[in-house]
């Protein structure tokens, strides 16, 4: 276990905010986390992070930041059709996807190159290119941060929806994810109908998970900024789900508007709306709307959180003015 006081979080958040935590603790096992809880060593406020790829620190964190270094990718069950793989929360998500693809397991390839770690995948219900991680999750093993008890949530207990889970709502801050078990398929069941995946795939008959992974990596690299080069936290906003009536009214005005069927209404891409407002590349201070994908806000170098927040507000205002739709941040403000 590693414990540091007055710890710089600069390398722990992809937006590149230069802030500190009063205390930073990295644990390697469930037992180490249980020991911290039992010995009363957890300090409030407490923030559990993964790779810090979905956060905007707005100031120094006057509490304890916890990080899991629990690793391991273990097969825990299989049939002729599928393999259940139990993965440590601290495994880098894309390392797991790469391993799954190498071992010929299907299901995770569309989620290639998403920043973050396995623990966060289950909290955030990460999704891209027609797949959400909830479609793969069997169960999530957690540690109760109050009692130290281990509790396993079956998929149905996690209340998954678009970018939502019970861990972000009723149980926010209560549990730390220790392991996630994913069910991956031994035979291809590919999802190729989102956006331009098919046109990026090389022209051949049967695609492997690796072909799809490579296509997704190409698409993402064309549109999304590399956080190692330009600070960002991926999509800054969630795509709003509007009522059927609102959708029809908007469609009259914007007949080519992209849209997706969603639970409770129709999902309209916020990136498209921001783009329609003419904001692609728009800069305020050292914060900007990414010039290739308007859903992403970027740190042009040394931006303060105030600059990012001011830009986000401006974007929300403009979208509301033009479309009458509220867009909410996907990124967590800390
Ligand atoms: N669009 C524009 N202009 C833009 C951006 C998008 O016109 O600047 C249009 C696109 O042409 C397309 C539609 O909007 O018709 C959707 O765009 P895209 O496929 O790029 O996806 P998105 O809805 O903007 C979501 C996820 C991404 C994920 C992609 C691909 C959310 C909040 N974001 O973005 O996730 O990679 O779909 O599936 O749901 C992330 O969460 O950090 C993330 C990058």
């Amino acid at each position: 276990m590693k414990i540091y006081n007055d710890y710089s979080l600069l390398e722990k958040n992809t937006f590149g905010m230069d802030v500190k935590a009063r205390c930073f603790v990295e644990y390697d096992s469930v037992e180490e986390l249980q020991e911290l809880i039992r010995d009363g060593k957890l300090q409030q406020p407490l923030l559990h992070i993964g790779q810090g790829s979905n956060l905007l620190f707005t100031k120094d964190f006057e509490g304890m930041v916890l990080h899991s270094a629990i690793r391991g990718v273990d097969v825990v069950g299989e049939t002729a059709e599928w393999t259940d793989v139990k993965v440590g929360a601290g495994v880098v998500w894309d390392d797991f996807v790469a391993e799954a693809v190498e071992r010929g397991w299907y299901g995770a390839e569309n989620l290639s190159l998403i920043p973050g770690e396995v623990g966060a995948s289950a909290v955030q219900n990460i999704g891209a290119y027609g797949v959400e991680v909830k479609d793969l999750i069997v169960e999530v093993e957690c540690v109760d941060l109050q009692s130290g008890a281990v509790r396993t949530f079956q998929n149905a207990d996690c209340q998954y929806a678009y970018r939502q889970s019970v861990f972000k709502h009723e149980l926010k801050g209560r549990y730390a994810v220790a392991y996630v078990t994913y069910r991956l398929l031994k035979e291809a069941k590919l999802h190729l109908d989102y956006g331009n995946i098919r046109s990026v795939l090389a022209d051949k008959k049967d695609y492997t998970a690796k072909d799809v992974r490579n296509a997704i990596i190409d698409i993402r690299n064309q549109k999304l900024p590399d956080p190692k080069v330009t600070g960002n936290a991926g999509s800054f906003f969630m795509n709003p789900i509007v009522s059927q009536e609102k959708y029809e009214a908007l469609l009259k005005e914007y007949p080519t508007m992209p849209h997706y069927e969603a639970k409770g209404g129709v999902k309209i891409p916020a990136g498209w709306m921001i783009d329609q407002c003419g904001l692609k590349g728009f800069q305020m201070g050292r914060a900007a709307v990414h010039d290739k994908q308007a859903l992403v806000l970027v740190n042009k170098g040394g931006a303060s959180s105030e600059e990012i927040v001011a830009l986000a507000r401006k974007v929300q205002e403009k979208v509301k003015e033009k479309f009458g739709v509220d867009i909410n941040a996907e990124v967590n403000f800390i």
Side-chain angles (χ1 to χ4, degrees), residues 127-130 162-163 194 220 223-224 233-235 237-239 258 260 269 271-272 275 280 292-295 330:
Y129 306 101
Y162 168 61
R163 296 293 198 271
Y194 185 98
R220 289 187 72 98
K223 286 193 176 176
L224 298 168
S235 303
F237 302 100
M238 285 188 274
N239 289 330
Y260 308 96
W272 176 84
D275 198 354
K280 225 179 208 174
K292 298 197 185 83
Q293 161 48 298
L295 197 54
E330 188 199 352

